[in-house]
Amino acid sequence: YRTLLIAPDDSRLKVISQGPGILMPYKMDFWRLREARTVNGEGRAYVYWSAALAASSRSADQSAKQVAALSNAALTEKLLFVGNRYIAVEQKVMTRDKKGDLRSSRFVWVKDVPQLAGASNPDEPPLQQPHVKLKDIFGTAVEPALQQLDPYLPLMPSEFQPKHASTDTWGESWTIARQQGRWIAKVASYENDASGDSQSYRLKDVPMSLPAEVVSHDRLVPEWGEIKRIQPAAVDAYSSPNLDVVLVVADRHLIVYPYKGVLLPNPLLTVELKPQESVIMAHWATDPYIDPWKKNVSAFLTQ
């Protein structure tokens, strides 16, 4: 993971600074998301995401080599989305049944910053760990959608025998995914394979728009067709709140174009992406916050 700060400097748009891990704005502060590692009394390793104020913590992100070495840990997490309050993660849990056979389970959860910053007990079953439900976001208005989608709750790793899971009426397990210029909610429905050795989920689109408290600024201008005409390699795009620039995501590049009622074909900035990199967060600062962001974010990213 890495965070880029893109801002004007000497009348040109530049990558002012960048650093490993994820730095996110939350309320009036910046918070650092980092991978924490714990080992319980039985020697089981857990690698999970935590949050702390950037001003009071130094980056503890682990290198790719270190994370790869922990790929067989009992619990590992991958970031899927980072907003200005909510974070979506995919969680992989490895357990052994009574016969000693290895069982793999994957889950998706949405959590908020206080939940990530709070005390964590990875030994708890995933469903019992703090997380945000769809009903917490939409209230009872989401009930008809859940009834129609009919998602099944995950079986916890301790339930080794495959069986039909219970219906998820609260939207316990869901994620936030990108779909051609906007963030959408997807609820997870869980299934077990016939052997009971693994558990997978299937994502179903929730037909409700996520509120601003979840996705902040999420309006794409211009139309997708115009973006593809200017940049045929585009796979996604983000437009600024002031509607003056558009960040286009291609397979191996981020390209910033000026927008003045129409998308202008002369890029202001091109940033090369590493293989398999994708965007999980895009936040914007407008006056009077631009200069404080440039100062504070640059300092935090270089710590």
Side-chain angles (χ1 to χ4, degrees), residues 14-229:
K14 299 179 182 179
V15 177
I16 300 296
S17 60
Q18 61 177 297
I22 297 297
L23 191 69
M24 64 173 288
Y26 175 59
K27 296 185 176 179
M28 296 303 293
D29 296 303
F30 286 95
W31 286 64
R32 194 186 306 279
L33 302 187
R34 61 189 183 185
E35 288 182 312
R37 180 187 181 185
T38 61
V39 179
N40 70 3
E42 300 175 355
R44 289 165 57 84
Y46 300 93
V47 184
Y48 57 94
W49 285 92
S50 64
L53 269 170
S56 60
S57 68
R58 296 183 62 86
S59 176
D61 297 300
Q62 301 187 35
S63 70
K65 183 180 295 185
Q66 290 173 309
V67 173
L70 295 170
S71 60
N72 292 323
L75 181 147
T76 55
E77 292 184 336
K78 175 184 177 181
L79 290 178
L80 303 177
F81 164 83
V82 179
N84 57 3
R85 177 179 175 182
Y86 298 98
I87 298 95
V89 299
E90 182 184 52
Q91 192 177 71
K92 180 181 180 181
V93 180
M94 305 295 293
T95 57
R96 291 191 180 276
D97 61 18
K98 296 176 181 179
K99 298 179 180 179
D101 295 330
L102 199 63
R103 176 186 170 96
S104 172
S105 298
R106 290 183 181 273
F107 309 95
V108 287
W109 310 105
V110 172
K111 304 183 180 186
D112 61 21
V113 169
Q115 289 170 344
L116 284 182
S120 178
N121 179 10
D123 279 321
E124 286 185 344
L127 192 57
Q128 295 180 22
Q129 295 178 25
H131 60 277
V132 177
K133 307 173 184 64
L134 277 171
K135 270 195 175 180
D136 296 331
I137 302 298
F138 294 109
T140 56
V142 77
E143 290 179 355
L146 291 175
Q147 290 174 0
Q148 181 179 5
L149 296 172
D150 193 28
Y152 294 131
L153 283 169
L155 296 175
M156 293 300 100
S158 59
E159 300 173 299
F160 299 114
Q161 298 301 317
K163 64 180 181 179
H164 195 283
S166 303
T167 299
D168 183 358
T169 59
W170 282 78
E172 298 273 1
S173 177
W174 63 290
T175 190
I176 301 167
R178 196 70 179 163
Q179 188 177 80
Q180 202 173 82
R182 66 190 185 103
W183 296 106
I184 65 170
K186 289 177 174 276
V187 68
S189 184
Y190 289 81
E191 301 172 352
N192 289 274
D193 66 8
S195 67
D197 293 335
S198 64
Q199 179 177 221
S200 60
Y201 59 82
R202 183 161 55 96
L203 295 177
K204 301 180 178 183
D205 294 0
V206 178
M208 302 177 70
S209 297
L210 286 165
E213 68 180 77
V214 177
V215 295
S216 189
H217 171 70
D218 195 36
R219 179 189 176 195
L220 181 61
V221 176
E223 296 290 335
W224 182 249
E226 183 177 346
I227 293 172
K228 290 289 286 185
R229 182 177 61 81

